Amino acid sequence: MLFDIENETLPKDELGALQLKKLSSQLERVYHNVPFYKQKFDEAGIKPEDIHTLDDISRLPFTEKQDLRDNYPYGLFAVPEEHIVRLHASSGTTGKATVVGYTQRDVNGWARLMARSLMAAGARRSDIVHNAYGYGLFTGGLGMHYGTEQLGATIVPISGGGTRRQVMIMKDFGCTVLCSTPSYGLQLYEALQTANISREDLRLRIGIFGAEPWSPSMRRDLENKLGVKAINIYGLSEIMGPGVAIECQTAQDGLHIWEDHFLIEIINPETGEVLPEGEQGELVITTLQKEAQPLIRYRTRDITSINAIPCRCGRTHRRITRIAGRSDDMMIIRGVNVFPSQIENILLECQGTTPHYQLILTREGALDQLEIRIEVGSELFSDKVKQLQQLEMNVKKNIKEFLGVTAKVKLVEPFSIERGEGKTKRICDLRTT
Ligand code: ADP
Ligand code: ZN
């Protein structure tokens, strides 16, 4: 079932024509209403009317997260303050938070895209949605909230925290869809075990997980533990919030990005050069419909690639592959590029379950050192020294074999790694330069 069948199945040429039309008017608007863009375009010697095709967009300058920070809080707004009905801020995972504004039309459009996304994930009007994304300045909670109402399903606005109470509500209310970060999904599972609630006691059938990178093995783990089909959702506050892209339940293979609202490119993060379809690089998004704060060629820092193969579900919007990580989360360890999600995959293969883990980077002399701290179950910890040593060796060996990196592995007691309710911070980089 499709929420907006006409727009979701637009033939490629019609979709392209629509994008170009929207792009032209968006460029006109930012050029005349946002001094930052007028200056940037003038410096690059380009006017909105010079853009005749979608490919011409590569002639325009990028917008970066730093530009949002430099123009904090309202410098990139394209409408007068009285047209703004809502403000949000990014969660500030990698520095100072950035502010985003919405007009009423932006808020309505977001709710519709979220409803589209929920339906693509398999949710229906009859579903009861347990929304454990944080409510507040972070876009996750409210984005999911209004999308669920737009779809006509029932929202349980539980937000983050109070994990023990969450699992009771999930059971008593008969929630059928769980929305949370993948790491919080695992925490909920732990709380279910403590409360002696089995997956058969729940009515969950879909899990919609996003806001942080997660691996294919974590998907299998979440599916087994919670008895759900685990769907990957992507978004970022600068562009809108959750619902920029989502996997469809049919293929569960790559995330459809709503191309009638967003124009996408993949670039080489070092050179800025646009890469051909299929190659991995940094995702760059131009908003086509945002009123309050349109962004042109925004560098998301998220690493992915475009999959243009038509999808079985019938949606014509192209898919992006699972986000491998953020370019600023990529660790360079003695010259080798490593994303936390790659390590996570290996840990799961070794242990059979996704552990809570943390990556500590230090420098000894001129050399980078990676320490992986992994929580292991209390049964193992109490008396099975041999098994612990075996596990430690296994992880070390596999990390070396698959990633080419030598790591120190430290097994730690259950619950000794701090839990967050929102995004988990996996990397602790103590290197000074
Ligand atoms: P912050 O940059 O402060 O975390 P946001 O709260 O807006 O700001 O989060 C957006 C970011 O979260 C994205 O740019 C991306 O790095 C990450 N993210 C969101 N969804 C996913 C996902 N499904 N997989 C991987 N990363 C994701
Ligand atoms: Zn699909």
Side-chain angles (χ1 to χ4, degrees):
M1 276 234 282
L2 279 63
F3 181 78
D4 182 353
I5 191 155
E6 191 187 330
N7 283 310
E8 289 179 59
T9 58
L10 277 178
K12 194 173 159 45
D13 50 341
E14 283 179 41
L15 188 55
L18 181 68
Q19 286 186 313
L20 186 59
K21 193 170 131 225
K22 289 187 178 183
L23 176 67
S24 306
S25 71
Q26 192 78 282
L27 292 176
E28 283 290 338
R29 284 192 57 239
V30 298
Y31 188 75
H32 293 107
N33 296 327
V34 187
F36 163 83
Y37 276 118
K38 175 159 191 336
Q39 191 187 339
K40 269 211 150 182
F41 287 15
D42 287 349
E43 276 167 14
I46 192 154
K47 294 249 175 315
E49 56 269 27
D50 298 333
I51 303 298
H52 303 291
T53 67
L54 291 175
D55 287 340
D56 285 346
I57 194 173
S58 62
R59 298 173 55 199
L60 293 168
F62 293 116
T63 309
E64 310 218 21
K65 199 164 186 117
Q66 191 57 40
D67 295 322
L68 286 161
R69 293 190 178 130
D70 292 345
N71 290 280
Y72 179 88
Y74 305 146
L76 293 187
F77 285 9
V79 296
E81 166 58 32
E82 63 262 33
H83 292 198
I84 302 286
V85 301
R86 179 137 27 114
L87 294 171
H88 276 289
S90 79
S91 42
T93 314
T94 57
K96 192 174 172 185
T98 47
V99 177
V100 282
Y102 303 77
T103 63
Q104 188 61 53
R105 199 167 143 246
D106 288 337
V107 164
N108 296 347
W110 182 16
R112 277 196 301 277
L113 282 191
M114 262 313 303
R116 239 195 227 187
S117 302
L118 281 158
M119 197 166 245
R124 300 291 176 262
R125 290 179 64 101
S126 52
D127 277 301
I128 302 176
V129 179
H130 183 105
N131 184 15
Y133 283 119
Y135 279 65
L137 277 179
F138 171 61
T139 49
L142 287 174
M144 190 59 80
H145 183 99
Y146 287 107
T148 304
E149 290 189 348
Q150 181 77 44
L151 176 68
T154 309
I155 185 86
V156 180
I158 190 116
S159 192
T163 310
R164 273 172 59 192
R165 181 159 164 265
Q166 293 232 0
V167 297
M168 292 313 298
I169 299 250
M170 191 188 287
K171 173 170 163 273
D172 295 348
F173 288 15
C175 297
T176 52
V177 178
L178 165 66
C179 303
S180 73
T181 56
S183 53
Y184 195 60
L186 288 179
Q187 259 192 77
L188 283 169
Y189 172 72
E190 287 174 350
L192 284 166
Q193 281 189 309
T194 313
N196 253 328
I197 300 174
S198 75
R199 50 182 262 194
E200 285 71 34
D201 300 327
L202 302 173
R203 287 184 58 215
L204 283 186
R205 59 184 199 94
I206 301 171
I208 302 180
F209 301 107
E212 64 188 13
W214 51 307
S215 58
S217 34
M218 186 143 172
R219 180 202 312 265
R220 284 199 300 279
D221 202 27
L222 282 163
E223 294 195 327
N224 285 334
K225 285 179 168 161
L226 296 169
V228 294
K229 188 155 199 171
I231 299 286
N232 196 347
I233 186 167
Y234 170 77
L236 64 167
S237 48
E238 297 92 312
I239 293 301
M240 178 175 87
V244 172
I246 193 159
E247 282 178 326
C248 61
Q249 174 220 31
T250 321
Q252 217 186 4
D253 178 18
L255 298 83
H256 289 282
I257 189 153
W258 303 123
E259 293 190 273
D260 52 340
H261 287 251
F262 310 108
L263 185 63
I264 55 170
E265 303 164 86
I266 300 288
I267 62 161
N268 174 328
E270 262 120 58
T271 62
E273 169 208 4
V274 178
L275 297 175
E277 217 164 61
E279 274 186 40
Q280 192 182 58
E282 178 181 342
L283 177 66
V284 171
I285 304 181
T286 298
T287 61
L288 295 174
Q289 205 146 315
K290 277 284 280 295
E291 267 185 348
Q293 199 175 3
L295 293 181
I296 308 300
R297 301 196 85 203
Y298 183 67
R299 293 188 58 161
T300 64
R301 307 194 196 179
D302 293 324
I303 305 295
T304 179
S305 60
I306 298 177
N307 170 5
I309 300 169
C311 185
R312 283 192 282 131
C313 71
R315 292 177 180 84
T316 49
H317 301 230
R318 288 176 299 171
R319 287 171 284 173
I320 52 170
T321 51
R322 184 178 59 80
I323 307 285
R326 306 183 184 230
S327 55
D328 37 15
D329 240 12
M330 189 181 77
M331 302 176 285
I332 305 183
I333 304 166
R334 301 190 192 179
V336 183
N337 299 351
V338 180
F339 284 109
S341 60
Q342 292 175 299
I343 295 187
E344 185 178 297
N345 236 341
I346 292 173
L347 297 185
L348 187 105
E349 300 298 326
C350 295
Q351 251 190 321
T353 174
T354 321
H356 290 279
Y357 66 94
Q358 211 174 27
L359 309 171
I360 322 275
L361 286 165
T362 51
R363 186 164 288 151
E364 280 169 29
L367 288 181
D368 300 322
Q369 306 286 344
L370 168 66
E371 179 179 298
I372 308 176
R373 286 192 193 155
I374 313 165
E375 276 187 16
V376 291
S378 44
E379 5 37 274
L380 263 186
F381 230 93
S382 51
D383 51 16
K384 310 216 170 96
V385 180
K386 263 231 167 75
Q387 272 193 35
L388 284 177
Q389 285 172 341
Q390 188 67 43
L391 178 63
E392 217 176 278
M393 264 170 49
N394 241 340
V395 172
K396 248 181 131 146
K397 188 173 131 266
N398 282 298
I399 297 274
K400 179 80 199 167
E401 203 169 298
F402 292 110
L403 304 178
V405 167
T406 308
K408 232 200 247 169
V409 175
K410 191 170 169 192
L411 303 178
V412 297
E413 286 182 47
F415 299 102
S416 57
I417 292 176
E418 202 190 327
R419 308 274 196 273
E421 279 149 15
K423 296 173 190 251
T424 310
K425 205 164 167 10
R426 301 283 189 197
I427 307 176
C428 178
D429 195 344
L430 304 173
R431 296 175 297 186
T432 43
T433 48

